[in-house]
Amino acid sequence: MSRYKLVTYQSPQGPRAWLVVDDTVFDLAGATGRASYATMLDVLRDWDAARLVLQEAAGSAAKKTEGRPLAGTKLLPPVSAPGGIFCAGANFTDHMMEMAKVQNIAPEPDPHDVGLKPWHFIKLAHCLAAPDSTVKLPPYSKMVDWEAELAAVIGRPARDVSIEKALDHVAGYTVANDLSARDFTKRPHVSDTSPFKYDWLSQKCFTDACPLGPWIVPAETIADPQKVGIKLWVNDVIKQDSHTSKMIFTLAEQISHLSTRVTLQPGDLILTGTPAGVGLARKEFLKAGDVVKVWVEGVGTLTNTCA
């Protein structure tokens, strides 16, 4: 089986989907002979057919179109205009223990034991930042935090799907960093009991709040998304070092639950939660010049520099 990855490149005509084979990138429409596969969303919306076409093209791309070296190629987020970015909150056991200690409260019980379902918030497409790009920290925040995450890319529409069938709707996986402005989690001068206390927009949806990439690996590359290592470094100092086996709700549970609330569409992203080691627990936050690297086993490394 030929191994390949999918990237998005900023061409003179706009974002184009490219196929990565080894260390060479090829225009995906040219490599497959499918002119309709111009963008990543075009490919994902035809995923049942595309996955077979891509596998064949990966073995013969060099014969069909001229490639260029991956090194030095400026990439965009692999899905540059997703319809939805759904982010799992409080979804790693080690992170829950960490945050309970920070807040000096008793750890909460396993949500499964008290009948709770997966919990997500939403980021916007304009929050995406490209791999190897400079991320501009929001000027209003002094406490921007990192959050390493495995991200799933939807390839088939999902509505009311079972947990057992949920992963069938995943086209592939990429790497995300769910940046958070911790000093804007709650609105000041609003009662802690108020339902309007939380400021999700300021905390989670600023420009560049979601670095993503560098590519998508097809779903079959990852045999089990619950058996994947995940790490994050700031200036080559490791901050997060964990494993997706520590997720509270599995990716399959997340997809199944989300599909009871919305119809997940091709190109939608699901950020599956972050493990322990966030800056808030250390009282450390990102500053201009910091280089952040996020690694997900079997997927790759996402690097960004803060400004």
Side-chain angles (χ1 to χ4, degrees), residues 176-244:
N177 188 356
D178 172 25
L179 297 178
S180 305
R182 298 293 191 189
D183 43 350
F184 282 82
T185 301
K186 298 178 180 180
R187 298 168 65 205
H189 315 303
V190 177
S191 169
D192 286 345
T193 61
S194 170
F196 308 112
K197 180 68 176 178
Y198 290 88
D199 186 355
W200 290 106
L201 186 69
S202 297
Q203 182 192 184
K204 293 287 190 177
C205 290
F206 50 89
T207 298
D208 292 347
C210 191
L212 187 80
W215 43 63
I216 297 169
V217 298
E220 55 265 28
T221 303
I222 306 294
D224 184 348
Q226 306 312 137
K227 295 181 179 179
V228 174
I230 184 168
K231 298 181 182 182
L232 180 145
W233 297 260
V234 178
N235 301 326
D236 293 324
V237 177
I238 196 160
K239 302 296 183 180
Q240 293 182 280
D241 185 357
S242 191
H243 198 271
T244 57

Side-chain angles (χ1 to χ4, degrees), residues 2-104:
S2 298
R3 289 295 184 96
Y4 67 88
K5 300 184 282 281
L6 300 172
V7 299
T8 293
Y9 167 73
Q10 181 64 60
S11 76
Q13 293 75 38
R16 295 279 297 188
W18 281 25
L19 180 71
V20 181
V21 182
D22 297 326
D23 295 319
T24 304
V25 291
F26 303 88
D27 180 79
L28 197 148
T32 60
R34 303 279 182 110
S36 60
Y37 288 180
T39 71
M40 196 65 71
L41 282 179
D42 294 330
V43 177
L44 293 169
R45 287 167 179 156
D46 192 40
W47 187 247
D48 282 335
R51 60 191 295 269
L52 301 176
V53 173
L54 290 169
Q55 186 61 52
E56 180 180 350
S60 60
K63 300 176 183 178
K64 296 182 179 181
T65 185
E66 185 177 354
R68 60 180 289 175
L70 174 61
T73 299
K74 187 175 182 179
L75 302 178
L76 298 176
V79 184
S80 56
I85 305 174
F86 303 94
C87 308
N91 195 49
F92 272 70
T93 54
D94 55 356
H95 182 49
M96 291 290 287
M97 295 292 290
E98 171 183 65
M99 298 309 289
K101 184 176 180 180
V102 168
Q103 299 174 68
N104 195 30

Side-chain angles (χ1 to χ4, degrees), residues 71-290:
T73 299
K74 187 175 182 179
L75 302 178
L76 298 176
V79 184
S80 56
I85 305 174
F86 303 94
C87 308
N91 195 49
F92 272 70
T93 54
D94 55 356
H95 182 49
M96 291 290 287
M97 295 292 290
E98 171 183 65
M99 298 309 289
K101 184 176 180 180
V102 168
Q103 299 174 68
N104 195 30
I105 60 176
E108 295 185 12
D110 186 325
H112 296 90
D113 295 339
V114 292
L116 293 177
K117 300 294 184 181
W119 175 74
H120 293 79
F121 57 89
I122 294 174
K123 286 201 170 195
L124 306 176
H126 77 248
C127 297
L128 294 177
D132 297 313
S133 68
T134 298
V135 169
K136 295 180 180 178
L137 302 175
Y140 59 78
S141 175
K142 303 300 182 185
M143 297 171 61
V144 178
D145 204 346
W146 55 82
E147 294 188 24
E149 309 211 11
L150 168 68
V153 183
I154 296 297
R156 297 188 181 103
R159 180 66 182 175
D160 292 323
V161 300
S162 67
I163 293 173
E164 293 73 22
K165 298 290 186 181
L167 294 183
D168 293 344
H169 296 263
V170 177
Y173 300 97
T174 188
V175 183
N177 188 356
D178 172 25
L179 297 178
S180 305
R182 298 293 191 189
D183 43 350
F184 282 82
T185 301
K186 298 178 180 180
R187 298 168 65 205
H189 315 303
V190 177
S191 169
D192 286 345
T193 61
S194 170
F196 308 112
K197 180 68 176 178
Y198 290 88
D199 186 355
W200 290 106
L201 186 69
S202 297
Q203 182 192 184
K204 293 287 190 177
C205 290
F206 50 89
T207 298
D208 292 347
C210 191
L212 187 80
W215 43 63
I216 297 169
V217 298
E220 55 265 28
T221 303
I222 306 294
D224 184 348
Q226 306 312 137
K227 295 181 179 179
V228 174
I230 184 168
K231 298 181 182 182
L232 180 145
W233 297 260
V234 178
N235 301 326
D236 293 324
V237 177
I238 196 160
K239 302 296 183 180
Q240 293 182 280
D241 185 357
S242 191
H243 198 271
T244 57
S245 60
K246 296 182 180 182
M247 282 188 199
I248 296 170
F249 291 105
T250 66
L251 172 58
E253 288 177 298
Q254 293 181 49
I255 292 172
S256 178
H257 177 68
L258 281 167
S259 76
T260 68
R261 302 303 193 259
V262 299
T263 301
L264 295 170
Q265 299 290 347
D268 285 352
L269 304 172
I270 300 175
L271 276 58
T272 54
T274 199
V278 298
L280 183 62
R282 307 163 180 265
K283 300 297 187 287
E284 298 176 11
F285 301 101
L286 295 172
K287 61 186 183 302
D290 284 345

